[in-house]
Amino acid sequence: MPERLTPLQLMTKLISFPTVSRDTNLPLIDWVEDYLGSHGITAHRWPDPDQPHKAALFAHVGPWEEGAVVLSGHTDVVPVDGQPWESDPWTVTERDGKYYGRGTCDMKGFDALAIWALVEAHYADVKRPLQLALSFDEEVGCTGAPPMIEAMQPVLPKGELVIVGEPSMLQAVTGHKGGQGFDTHVIGFEVHSSILHTGVSAILEGAKIIDFANQRNAENFANPPTALGAMFDPPVTTWHVGQISGGTAHNITAKDCRFSMDFRAVPGDDPVALKESYLDHVRTIEARMQTVHPDARVEISERFAVPPLKPEENGAAEMMVRQITGDNGGHVVSYGTEAGQFQAAGYSAVVCGPGDIAQAHQPNEFITVAQFELGHQFMRDLVARLG
């Protein structure tokens, strides 16, 4: 009989793989595939054709039929570069009632619990199937989940509901904002700044484009929020630019200016319309730039797109989580997750996982021992319900 690792042993193993989004996750995927295989569970991987060093993994136990509960987590973590860690971030360290390590909270702690539950459900010969879905590149815009979800459809029986285990203190989060990001490259025409009227400053024109965020935020906060929007903090769709670069010298009109314009949309706001409103603004600025010089232009590429998670009326995922946890409160968050992507693919979806999102991405990231144990109990109760 192969060894059945405890949740803590599984988390310790997963965290030992430094799966920062910029790097490979294949050693972790290899290990999980081998571990599940040692227990007679067939795991399927989806290798990213554009990134040979990345892969997703999914598996099914129980009756080969539709209606599974899907446990969904991501395998990538954010960097530790420059952070003042007091212990090795790739080794789980217990002290003061907490497990420290990169990913303990976000979200290898949940991944470990999900793997444990899949193996236990396999040996319990459950009557309702359970599935595991482990993605990549969640931390860079939830870009790895959509192709994984698509790849699952012809391979596994369709699941009914998905529990995305982002840290929520094991509360049932039934709604979150969606978002999109647009890499924006403003290309100007260089001249000496003393004759700037004959050139096109990419930075000055970029500032006009960026001001779109100020205008929209002011308009949105000035208007009363929608019923769905009122559930969130802030209760409106917001626009944001977090980084900007460009220019050659103080006395030359800038040839280049680069930034990303992002929005976080409340459910109910049309992301297509939001995108078009930005593109329309950019086209207006670009047209003015080209009256000065025809080579001036603005290039835009979509960096990420994450649909919102919309609260469901009597949603199967929400009901399952509430039955296990006893949590009857209404919870929404302003960040995005892969739950909205599963919902868009036809699954009932909810966010529920151990740990506090405030610890995610922080130096000395941790999950409390108490939360991890509550997560373990959640999985025990889930497997019992499937039996």
Side-chain angles (χ1 to χ4, degrees):
M1 175 70 70
E3 184 181 8
R4 288 155 72 170
L5 299 181
T6 67
L8 179 57
Q9 288 172 323
L10 288 164
M11 179 171 68
T12 299
K13 186 64 180 180
L14 296 181
I15 285 175
S16 72
F17 298 103
T19 52
V20 175
S21 302
R22 66 185 176 223
D23 301 322
T24 183
N25 74 334
L26 293 185
L28 182 151
I29 294 296
D30 291 342
W31 184 86
V32 174
E33 185 175 21
D34 289 345
Y35 177 70
L36 295 179
S38 73
H39 291 284
I41 301 171
T42 300
H44 308 267
R45 66 168 67 196
W46 181 82
D48 185 349
D50 298 322
Q51 300 183 97
H53 61 297
K54 302 281 185 72
L57 181 141
F58 43 89
H60 176 110
V61 300
W64 195 257
E65 61 188 30
E66 296 186 351
V69 173
V70 184
L71 299 176
S72 168
H74 60 81
T75 60
D76 59 317
V77 295
V78 298
V80 298
D81 307 12
Q83 292 187 332
W85 282 77
E86 297 177 10
S87 56
D88 180 1
W90 310 116
T91 301
V92 174
T93 302
E94 181 181 357
R95 63 179 184 271
D96 303 324
K98 301 169 184 175
Y99 293 127
Y100 290 88
R102 174 58 87 222
T104 50
C105 177
D106 183 21
M107 59 181 302
K108 290 181 177 178
F110 176 85
D111 293 345
L113 293 166
I115 293 168
W116 178 89
L118 193 78
V119 172
E120 294 302 308
H122 172 66
Y123 285 112
D125 196 23
V126 292
K127 297 180 176 61
R128 182 177 183 180
L130 182 67
Q131 294 178 358
L132 173 72
L134 298 178
S135 70
F136 58 90
D137 281 358
E138 189 273 347
E139 297 290 5
V140 293
C142 296
T143 57
M148 176 191 71
I149 295 168
E150 182 179 359
M152 290 170 63
Q153 306 311 306
V155 177
L156 303 183
K158 180 68 176 283
E160 180 190 12
L161 65 95
V162 179
I163 301 171
V164 177
E166 294 283 359
S168 72
M169 297 297 287
L170 290 168
Q171 295 176 330
V173 172
T174 58
H176 66 60
K177 291 186 176 183
Q180 282 186 267
F182 307 98
D183 285 334
T184 305
H185 181 195
V186 185
I187 302 167
F189 181 72
E190 290 179 306
V191 298
H192 193 276
S193 60
S194 65
I195 52 171
L196 62 83
H197 65 290
T198 65
V200 179
S201 169
I203 288 178
L204 293 180
E205 299 303 322
K208 296 174 185 176
I209 295 174
I210 290 172
D211 194 47
F212 174 86
N214 294 323
Q215 296 171 19
R216 280 306 175 95
N217 288 337
E219 292 170 4
N220 289 345
F221 279 100
N223 294 324
T226 64
L228 277 176
M231 302 171 63
F232 293 85
D233 182 21
V236 296
T237 293
T238 56
W239 295 80
H240 177 250
V241 172
Q243 290 182 305
I244 184 171
S245 64
T248 303
H250 75 278
N251 60 349
I252 302 174
T253 57
K255 175 65 180 298
D256 296 285
C257 181
R258 300 173 187 269
F259 55 89
S260 179
M261 177 69 76
D262 303 346
F263 68 76
R264 292 183 182 272
V266 296
D269 278 9
D270 182 359
V272 175
L274 293 170
K275 174 181 178 179
E276 284 303 315
S277 70
Y278 178 60
L279 296 182
D280 287 346
H281 178 75
V282 169
R283 293 185 192 109
T284 299
I285 301 298
E286 183 181 56
R288 294 173 187 166
M289 293 165 57
Q290 291 176 342
T291 63
V292 179
H293 197 283
D295 291 341
R297 63 193 185 276
V298 183
E299 297 177 349
I300 293 179
S301 60
E302 187 174 286
R303 194 173 86 257
F304 70 90
V306 181
L309 175 64
K310 302 175 183 178
E312 304 168 3
E313 186 173 352
N314 299 318
E318 175 185 355
M319 292 176 65
M320 172 69 79
V321 166
R322 293 195 188 284
Q323 288 168 1
I324 294 174
T325 64
D327 171 31
N328 291 316
H331 309 287
V332 298
V333 294
S334 291
Y335 56 82
T337 78
E338 296 172 339
Q341 294 168 324
F342 274 100
Q343 188 180 66
Y347 296 81
S348 175
V350 68
V351 177
C352 182
D356 187 341
I357 192 64
Q359 302 307 322
H361 304 182
Q362 298 298 307
N364 300 312
E365 177 184 347
F366 68 82
I367 187 171
T368 66
V369 174
Q371 269 290 299
F372 193 65
E373 288 302 320
L374 285 174
H376 191 186
Q377 188 59 53
F378 178 98
M379 293 301 179
R380 290 193 194 97
D381 293 342
L382 173 62
V383 172
R385 285 181 175 275
L386 300 178

